[in-house]
Amino acid sequence: MTHAILFDLDGTLVDHASAARAALHAWSPTVGVDTDVERWIELDKWGFARFERGETTHLGQRRDRIRAYLNRELDDATCDDIYSGYLKAYEQNWTAYPDAKGVLDRAVATGAPVGILTNGAAPMQQDKLDRTGLGLPELVMLAASTLDSAKPRPEMYARALTHLGATSATIIGDDWVNDVEAPRALGWNAFYLDRSGNDPRADIHSLDQLFH
């Protein structure tokens, strides 16, 4: 019986929200629109929700978000070209949370298989780990783009276990549905991370609380 430890990435190990805000302020003027962080966040949630339900591809939701944010009818190639500008600015602002490296080291030290379970695209998410100093060789990237599913669909979690050769898992993440509610329904252990300290459902407010 092998028990795995899995981490969400964005909002858990890497400060996605701050990187996205900084990128928007740098990129939006270059494509002729006013920076609208709240609108981008709404579109991000809308796009990923459609992807998670299997209604579109990861690339498809990205293109639809560009069209909606710019309020223009654009072909796919143009969307991809425009998004590349945002992506470059986003990448330049990636930072790991201060408690991320330590918790990964402690998780690996348990001897359990340790993976990153993310709805992002594998190449970007691996690059994110590497650039922020979190790319430990023991970590297994379990991304929606390679597992051909997405959280919170049950097969995403089942495929992650199979990939790791595990029969059970503990998951740590900041999304109540994807990282807590859905995996708990499958019998997983889950720690709900709320860095704001405002959600009464939270199990932890810092990754420093884990694996001591």
Side-chain angles (χ1 to χ4, degrees):
M1 303 286 282
T2 300
H3 188 85
I5 299 172
L6 295 171
F7 291 88
D8 172 56
L9 183 56
D10 293 313
T12 300
L13 299 171
V14 171
D15 189 351
H16 162 74
S18 294
R21 280 195 298 271
L24 280 176
H25 283 288
W27 166 76
S28 295
T30 70
V31 290
V33 297
D34 293 331
T35 302
D36 190 340
V37 174
E38 292 305 313
R39 174 64 171 157
W40 184 262
I41 291 172
E42 290 174 3
L43 291 172
D44 190 55
K45 292 178 180 178
W46 166 74
F48 266 88
R50 292 175 60 236
F51 168 62
E52 289 162 6
R53 292 192 297 267
E55 295 172 5
T56 186
T57 62
H58 190 274
L59 193 56
Q61 62 83 27
R62 178 186 288 178
R63 290 165 175 164
D64 288 342
R65 282 161 50 206
I66 289 293
R67 293 181 181 109
Y69 187 68
L70 301 185
N71 194 27
R72 299 179 203 159
E73 288 297 325
L74 302 166
D75 61 42
D76 288 349
T78 302
C79 288
D80 294 344
D81 184 58
I82 291 172
Y83 187 85
S84 69
Y86 166 77
L87 183 59
K88 183 177 180 180
Y90 176 53
E91 290 173 348
Q92 290 170 346
N93 287 281
W94 286 340
T95 56
Y97 288 108
D99 55 5
K101 178 62 163 53
V103 78
L104 291 177
D105 285 337
R106 294 192 300 276
V108 168
T110 67
V114 182
I116 304 298
L117 191 65
T118 173
N119 279 354
M124 178 194 289
Q125 300 299 67
Q126 186 61 54
D127 195 25
K128 196 176 291 181
L129 286 178
D130 294 339
R131 290 197 193 196
T132 57
L134 302 180
L136 304 181
E138 297 88 350
L139 295 182
V140 179
M141 177 57 66
L142 302 164
S145 61
T146 49
L147 294 184
D148 196 29
S149 186
K151 299 181 286 185
R153 284 183 263 163
E155 65 269 18
M156 177 67 162
Y157 308 97
R159 290 171 187 173
L161 288 182
T162 299
H163 200 83
L164 292 172
T167 52
S168 60
T170 293
I171 186 169
I172 301 96
D174 71 312
D175 186 296
W176 175 257
V177 173
N178 288 355
D179 303 320
V180 183
E181 189 175 56
R184 280 181 181 169
L186 298 172
W188 288 27
N189 297 327
F191 287 94
Y192 179 38
L193 172 65
D194 171 43
R195 294 184 178 278
S196 72
N198 297 324
D199 194 328
R201 300 173 298 181
D203 299 298
I204 54 172
H205 299 295
S206 167
L207 297 175
D208 288 335
Q209 296 172 255
L210 296 172
F211 306 120
H212 289 289

